[in-house]
Amino acid sequence: EVPLVESGGGLVKPGGSLRLSCAASGLSFSDSYMSWVRQAPGKGLEWVGRIKRKSDGETTDYAAPVKGRFSISRDDSKKTLYLQMNSLKTEDTAMYYCGTGSACDIWGQGTMVTVSS
Amino acid sequence: DIQMTQSPSSLSASVGDRVTITCRASQGIRTSLSWFQQKPGKAPKSLILAASTLHSGVPSKFSGSGSGTDFTLTISSLQPEDFATYYCQQYYSPPFTFGQGTKLEIK
């Protein structure tokens, strides 16, 4: 059983929107802070953002390049994390990973997002 | 924002060698630091959290140390499967920045 499985990636035009999902299994999702991290082709890891657990207010934090355009949410009843991406730019092209905790202790396998006209 | 600087950016070593990778934070982060290993085409894997605590299932050949601004990852007795890219990340204060990575290659 894979603990985290991302989905929703694909090809989108600049200015478009996409919503990524991260389905969790076999872990205490509702007790976990959750994060998104991305990696552009051939580049290093870049932290995207984090959402705290409900008991800590589900507070979110974002990296500067995505603040105001991306939004992280969670549905604990479905054990699913989301990343809503709006006003996408070519520089958002990357593999997107979800992970548990503020520093991803467990990682998903990633979903690829390509922003191109 | 806290900047994380890893050194070296690349490193050549032989099977059986012991190597050390350094990560420096631009301000103090106590021990809020993780290390990750990534192999080509694969998701990263957590090795160490809280600067020195081995993640579950990670062999004891990996060790981490440091606090404040200076941290090290040491890998003893390198094996072929250890050749990969290694990243540090601070989670003391958002944004939780990564180092630029250290590519460990076979000599």
Side-chain angles (χ1 to χ4, degrees):
Chain A
E1 188 179 58
V2 179
L4 297 173
V5 178
E6 299 94 335
S7 61
L11 175 64
V12 61
K13 289 181 167 50
S17 298
L18 209 56
R19 188 177 82 157
L20 307 183
S21 299
C22 169
S25 60
L27 54 88
S28 182
F29 182 80
S30 62
D31 287 336
S32 301
Y33 288 17
M34 297 295 295
S35 297
W36 286 99
V37 173
R38 69 183 180 183
Q39 186 171 37
K43 302 297 185 182
L45 301 173
E46 180 184 21
W47 182 78
V48 172
R50 175 205 63 185
I51 186 167
K52 295 183 178 180
R53 57 194 170 198
K54 186 174 184 177
S55 59
D56 290 329
E58 289 190 10
T59 307
T60 53
D61 293 286
Y62 299 95
V66 308
K67 198 168 186 178
R69 299 188 298 123
F70 289 13
S71 176
I72 299 174
S73 61
R74 62 192 298 160
D75 185 334
D76 290 346
S77 67
K78 295 182 178 179
K79 289 192 167 184
T80 302
L81 175 73
Y82 301 101
L83 179 65
Q84 177 67 44
M85 304 185 293
N86 299 327
S87 304
L88 281 160
K89 306 176 181 181
T90 55
E91 53 264 40
D92 295 320
T93 293
M95 182 71 78
Y96 284 74
Y97 298 100
C98 64
T100 58
S102 296
C104 305
D105 299 327
I106 300 171
W107 294 69
Q109 85 291 346
T111 187
M112 186 68 200
V113 173
T114 303
V115 185
S116 174
S117 55
Chain B
D1 296 359
I2 299 173
Q3 309 303 316
M4 305 301 294
T5 304
Q6 272 181 250
S7 60
S9 54
S10 64
L11 177 58
S12 292
S14 301
V15 172
D17 283 355
R18 178 175 183 266
V19 298
T20 297
I21 298 168
T22 297
C23 185
R24 174 164 288 176
S26 60
Q27 63 188 75
I29 59 170
R30 300 187 180 176
T31 56
S32 299
L33 184 106
S34 285
W35 289 97
F36 303 94
Q37 176 194 67
Q38 187 179 33
K39 297 181 180 179
K42 300 293 186 183
K45 171 187 170 183
S46 178
L47 297 175
I48 287 171
L49 58 150
S52 61
T53 301
L54 242 58
H55 196 263
S56 175
V58 173
S60 58
K61 63 191 301 183
F62 293 94
S63 63
S65 66
S67 66
T69 59
D70 294 309
F71 302 86
T72 59
L73 170 70
T74 299
I75 313 169
S76 63
S77 189
L78 281 171
Q79 296 302 305
E81 61 269 21
D82 300 328
F83 291 92
T85 300
Y86 293 85
Y87 295 92
C88 62
Q89 184 200 18
Q90 67 83 15
Y91 53 94
Y92 178 76
S93 174
F96 298 136
T97 39
F98 286 89
Q100 79 278 16
T102 295
K103 187 172 184 178
L104 177 55
E105 299 175 304
I106 299 177
K107 186 183 289 184

